[in-house]
Amino acid sequence: MATQSHDMIIRNGTVVTAERTERADIAVQRGKVVAVGQQVGHAPVEIDATGRLVMPGGVDSHCHIEQLSGAGLMNADSFETATRSALMGGTTTTISFAAQHPGQKLSAVVEDYQALAAKGAICDHAFHIIVSDLSGGNLTDDLPALLAQGHRSIKLFTVYDKVRMGDEDILDVLWCARSHGGLVNIHSENDGLIRWMTRRLIEAGKTGARFHPASHPRAAEIEALNRMCIFSEVTGQPVMLFHISCAEGVEIVRAARTRGVPALAETCPHYLFMTADQLDLPGNEAAGLMCSPPQRELEDQEALWQALERGDLQVVSSDHAPYRLDDTGKFAHGHDAPFNKIANGMPGLETRLPLLFDAMVSQGRLGAERFVALTATNPADIYGLPDKGRIAPGADADIVLWDPERAVTFGADDLHDNTGYNPYAGRVVKGWPETVISRGEIVVDRGHMLGKPGRGRRLPMEISASMRPLPDPAATLPS
């Protein structure tokens, strides 16, 4: 192999995977990793990774891109701007949403999103299908066909007008996924409790953004998470419980998994690094920090970190949901709008990995290998993307060279998306993605974007081990 010529070799780096850390060189040929080790040959493009940690590109399995919300508001990012931001932050694969609204055919929705991504996406991508309307053959025809085409991830809401689903419909979708192969992701909050709390706050004149956390009490998350775990148990169908924010949610997931429920769960950086008191600002100054579920308390942060360490939570995603701080986004209903008229969400595609690298690698919490597992390998494995999230022969050459010594202070508007602000402005992180490679192509080089819109490929999902249902569901239904 010492005389073999490849397209690219990355030399002298410390290669970190979910399993091990080693000094090794990486050989790349036709966009794939072909060798990891010593004396891997030579290449016309050789990158000296001395002093760098060489890691798989991140897989962000929860991001909203070029998506119309249930309230009819388009978010700030196109596929071009969102994937540009992702790559600048070290993420080389996104899984965003093809969002169905009532009256739409699922097949047409997915086709439209695929066309948008084919035009603009700079990195490789897959989709979750947001299902909100099962009528007109969507459940019986469109959804099974899409699952067969490799769109094997479904997203459901238990909350929000227009997109929330009732219990019976949720069970029907779970059974469809069980029958045809897929994973069901769920935003789990109790709609009635949130409506009730919101009404009481508004009637009391508590309308500013600071009151948003109170309108989404932890009890709403607790109830819905418990219900979705029971539904998974009854049907035997695996679920991914999105954005766990509180200690009680962790315990529900832990208890369900202990009794054999096929439940997976994730959390997000804003629950690990923010607390609700950061929204305690005058008027609507906190609008840019509003998300659902909301940030909680320091005790919840610690519970989430412990859950990541134990393996009760398997993924940290961004939940990138970008809205500008103007009348096209957060303030579409005016700068003095009550909190329930302000779009929820914040940018996170570009900040996810630097924040977690700083905490897990630079500060030593959980370590570099777990950082890779939680941000790249686990989501790739769970969502049936075997060529992503790893550095191994046969995998796509999605590789990031991290400078572990570089410290960066986030600025007020320094991200490469189209949101116009950084919710972590002023925070210092140590460790930075210096060079980003996607399928063997250098797409980011020391802060310069080299990738072109449309180069990203749509990734069909395989049926992963995490998608396989229990052999004997608690519900015995006629065939």
Side-chain angles (χ1 to χ4, degrees):
M1 180 175 289
T3 61
Q4 186 171 350
S5 178
H6 303 291
D7 297 330
M8 174 187 290
I9 292 178
I10 302 169
R11 295 197 187 277
N12 306 319
T14 299
V15 178
V16 184
T17 68
E19 296 81 24
R20 66 182 62 86
T21 300
E22 60 182 336
R23 290 294 301 273
D25 299 340
I26 302 169
V28 175
Q29 183 76 29
R30 291 188 290 275
K32 295 281 188 178
V33 174
V34 294
V36 181
Q38 305 299 322
Q39 298 181 336
V40 297
H42 59 276
V45 177
E46 298 205 2
I47 300 173
D48 184 5
T50 301
R52 302 296 183 256
L53 296 183
V54 183
M55 297 178 163
V59 178
D60 196 334
S61 54
H62 186 167
C63 42
H64 302 267
I65 301 174
E66 210 158 336
Q67 180 186 331
L68 190 68
S69 74
L73 188 64
M74 179 63 72
N75 69 28
D77 271 327
S78 66
F79 276 93
E80 178 181 346
T81 61
T83 57
R84 178 180 67 204
S85 185
L87 288 166
M88 293 295 289
T91 288
T92 53
T93 301
T94 61
I95 309 179
S96 59
F97 298 91
Q100 181 206 32
H101 295 279
Q104 294 181 324
K105 290 288 288 180
L106 281 173
S107 55
V109 168
V110 173
E111 183 178 353
D112 288 346
Y113 275 90
Q114 286 187 152
L116 291 170
K119 177 183 178 182
I122 308 173
C123 71
D124 293 351
H125 51 275
F127 296 97
H128 309 285
I129 307 169
I130 293 180
V131 179
S132 62
D133 184 348
L134 301 180
S135 66
N138 280 318
L139 177 66
T140 57
D141 301 324
D142 285 36
L143 192 53
L146 289 166
L147 288 163
Q149 294 166 20
H151 297 287
R152 295 195 177 276
S153 183
I154 301 164
K155 166 78 177 290
L156 304 178
F157 287 87
T158 64
V159 69
Y160 301 144
D161 288 341
K162 297 184 181 179
V163 294
R164 72 178 183 274
M165 301 195 78
D167 288 350
E168 189 172 355
D169 284 345
I170 291 172
L171 289 163
D172 278 341
V173 172
L174 289 168
W175 202 258
C176 179
R178 175 188 173 86
S179 302
H180 297 280
L183 184 66
V184 179
N185 310 269
I186 308 174
H187 178 130
S188 305
E189 292 184 282
N190 182 286
D191 186 71
L193 184 51
I194 291 170
R195 287 174 176 272
W196 185 74
M197 288 294 292
T198 297
R199 174 168 53 84
R200 291 175 61 85
L201 287 164
I202 297 297
E203 288 174 350
K206 298 178 178 181
T207 63
R210 73 176 71 182
F211 298 107
H212 169 71
S215 73
H216 285 247
R218 63 181 61 227
E221 186 175 357
I222 293 165
E223 187 281 328
L225 284 172
N226 189 61
R227 180 160 37 105
M228 293 306 107
C229 285
I230 291 171
F231 286 3
S232 174
E233 188 170 25
V234 168
T235 61
Q237 166 58 33
V239 297
M240 166 64 78
L241 301 167
F242 271 167
H243 41 50
I244 306 298
S245 74
C246 62
E248 296 91 338
V250 166
E251 290 308 312
I252 289 168
V253 172
R254 181 173 173 82
R257 289 172 57 82
T258 298
R259 67 177 189 266
V261 177
L264 302 161
E266 58 151 52
T267 192
C268 308
H270 38 279
Y271 305 121
L272 296 170
F273 301 111
M274 290 183 176
T275 53
D277 60 6
Q278 290 178 242
L279 278 75
D280 190 15
L281 299 171
N284 280 333
E285 289 184 26
L289 303 182
M290 289 175 56
C291 59
S292 294
Q295 302 88 339
R296 305 295 186 185
E297 308 300 330
L298 286 174
E299 294 81 3
D300 297 296
Q301 286 186 2
E302 183 59 31
L304 293 170
W305 279 111
Q306 291 178 10
L308 292 170
E309 184 173 10
R310 292 192 305 260
D312 297 329
L313 304 179
Q314 295 77 41
V315 173
V316 183
S317 71
S318 71
D319 195 4
H320 177 79
Y323 296 96
R324 295 183 66 82
L325 296 174
D326 59 24
D327 57 8
T328 70
K330 292 281 187 178
F331 302 125
H333 296 280
H335 284 260
D336 296 324
F339 65 80
N340 63 325
K341 297 295 184 181
I342 299 174
N344 276 211
M346 67 182 78
L349 270 168
E350 193 169 339
T351 55
R352 178 183 71 121
L353 294 183
L355 286 165
L356 291 166
F357 188 100
D358 175 67
M360 299 178 70
V361 183
S362 300
Q363 298 182 40
R365 182 153 200 174
L366 305 188
E369 292 167 16
R370 292 298 298 279
F371 167 79
V372 170
L374 290 165
T375 63
T377 310
N378 288 1
D381 287 348
I382 288 167
Y383 290 102
L385 304 175
D387 293 338
K388 300 299 185 181
R390 65 196 74 248
I391 297 176
D396 284 350
D398 291 2
I399 299 168
V400 180
L401 278 62
W402 286 82
D403 180 348
E405 299 303 321
R406 182 180 174 188
V408 172
T409 302
F410 285 128
D413 182 14
D414 59 347
L415 303 180
H416 295 81
D417 56 27
N418 191 41
T419 314
Y421 74 99
N422 186 336
Y424 298 96
R427 188 182 187 100
V428 179
V429 293
K430 184 181 178 184
W432 198 254
E434 182 178 69
T435 303
V436 181
I437 299 164
S438 170
R439 278 185 282 107
E441 177 185 349
I442 299 173
V443 289
V444 177
D445 184 23
R446 292 173 173 81
H448 298 286
M449 171 54 61
L450 306 179
K452 302 300 182 184
R455 66 165 300 277
R457 297 177 182 173
R458 181 238 155 179
L459 303 169
M461 297 177 179
E462 299 180 2
I463 296 177
S464 69
S466 297
M467 296 178 187
R468 299 192 183 279
L470 296 181
D472 299 306
T476 303
L477 299 184
S479 58

